[in-house]
Amino acid sequence: MLSDLQQEFMLHFGEMGSRWGINRTVGQIYAVLFLSENPLCADDLVARVGVSRSNVSMSLKELQGWNLVELRHKPGDRRDFFKTPDDMWQIVRTLVEERKKREIDPTLTKLRQLEMRQTPRDDAYAHARITEMRELIELLTGWYDEMNRLETERLVALLNMGARLQQFARKARLLPARKTKPEI
Amino acid sequence: MLSDLQQEFMLHFGEMGSRWGINRTVGQIYAVLFLSENPLCADDLVARVGVSRSNVSMSLKELQGWNLVELRHKPGDRRDFFKTPDDMWQIVRTLVEERKKREIDPTLTKLRQLEMRQTPRDDAYAHARITEMRELIELLTGWYDEMNRLETERLVALLNMGARLQQFARKARLLPARKTKPEI
DNA sequence: TTGAAATTTCAGAAATGTCTGAAACTTCAG
DNA sequence: CTGAAGTTTCAGACATTTCTGAAATTTCAA
């Protein structure tokens, strides 16, 4: 049912799952869908991944919660078929968005809330530290929001620029000229 | 021992721990160290977090594995004292670096390895999909490496530019001029 | 309606992960 | 050396998460 290539890819995603904050089955199901040219139904996944039907059902629910799979239907067939988006960039955007939502937003909210609080004098350091953290997170997420607004084509162009970015920023006087390194 | 502010911050880090791929105690210990002006020793952490001595020991080991804490010593005291780096940017750089090492590098290696393989004709789609994924990860990590080379000061300047980045890239002819939006 | 196909829910079993106390180990002053 | 202070290790207790099969629910053609 799965080629060696597909099988090994699936097992890798299962193993990495715990590091990525999803469980093994979810990782494996995602991997199989990712490599499949055609949408698959739940029973296809049972056959390919080798876990119970109910586990597949719950895992698909979780993947839908992450917006990582799309639902498809075939005429005259009431089963749900699933596929991953064709566009890798779409997948990356979704992943970053969802991780931000789960891993960063709750903390940002908490930091703001703690900062509001009346702070006793002797907590000044902790308070300052929390502010520092909040400000840095806001800078990074704000910048991420900007990047996210770019269409993929332009974003790729920007990323491909890579090292050259600094030079251009300097030329455009967005950054100070490079300090000359002291000779040894 | 801990103020309300510190306590709530610590508990939040404990709760978020599982989403961040660390366990509760590790998150709590990190939180306490982060807010503490002075380095703390293991027994300080036992008192503040309220877990066993051995748990603190193992958690500190894990934090050291992540390079998220620094070791300090006081003259005439053989205990190890711990603190988080003062520089928030340093912390972010470490976090990203370590997560890349754990969550991305192993997969990049695996993808390259799978790509090398002789692929049967009917696996062309899966093979192409793996290539696509590898190329995108390489683009993103390559760009990350470039950004990582920037000193913090310049990086902050770039991030603060935010939206303006696109305009300047366009002016510098790094991106095509904006398409005029069709009027409604 | 009815009932067959498909899906979801859920209680408990299985597997994993975390935490503790006790024991082992390390270090170093005396 | 010796032993006191500090630290680490680890087996098993405890807690959480994941997985399954059986039962409940939904869907829709006939």
Side-chain angles (χ1 to χ4, degrees), chain A residues 85-96:
Chain A
D86 290 326
D87 180 4
M88 276 299 305
W89 277 91
Q90 185 47 52
I91 294 174
V92 169
R93 285 172 191 271
T94 300
L95 265 177
V96 174

Side-chain angles (χ1 to χ4, degrees), chain A residues 17-76:
Chain A
S18 54
R19 300 195 192 186
W20 296 336
I22 57 177
N23 72 37
R24 187 160 36 107
T25 308
V26 172
Q28 290 179 342
I29 286 178
Y30 183 81
V32 169
L33 290 175
F34 180 81
L35 293 189
S36 171
E37 191 159 9
N38 309 116
L40 301 177
C41 72
D43 283 318
D44 294 334
L45 290 164
V46 169
R48 278 156 225 241
V49 177
V51 294
S52 72
R53 183 63 183 72
S54 55
N55 197 356
V56 168
S57 175
M58 291 195 304
S59 300
L60 285 170
K61 262 291 172 72
E62 182 161 355
L63 284 172
Q64 286 176 278
W66 278 83
N67 286 310
L68 279 174
V69 293
E70 292 171 4
L71 209 53
R72 293 299 170 84
H73 287 99
K74 299 188 181 184

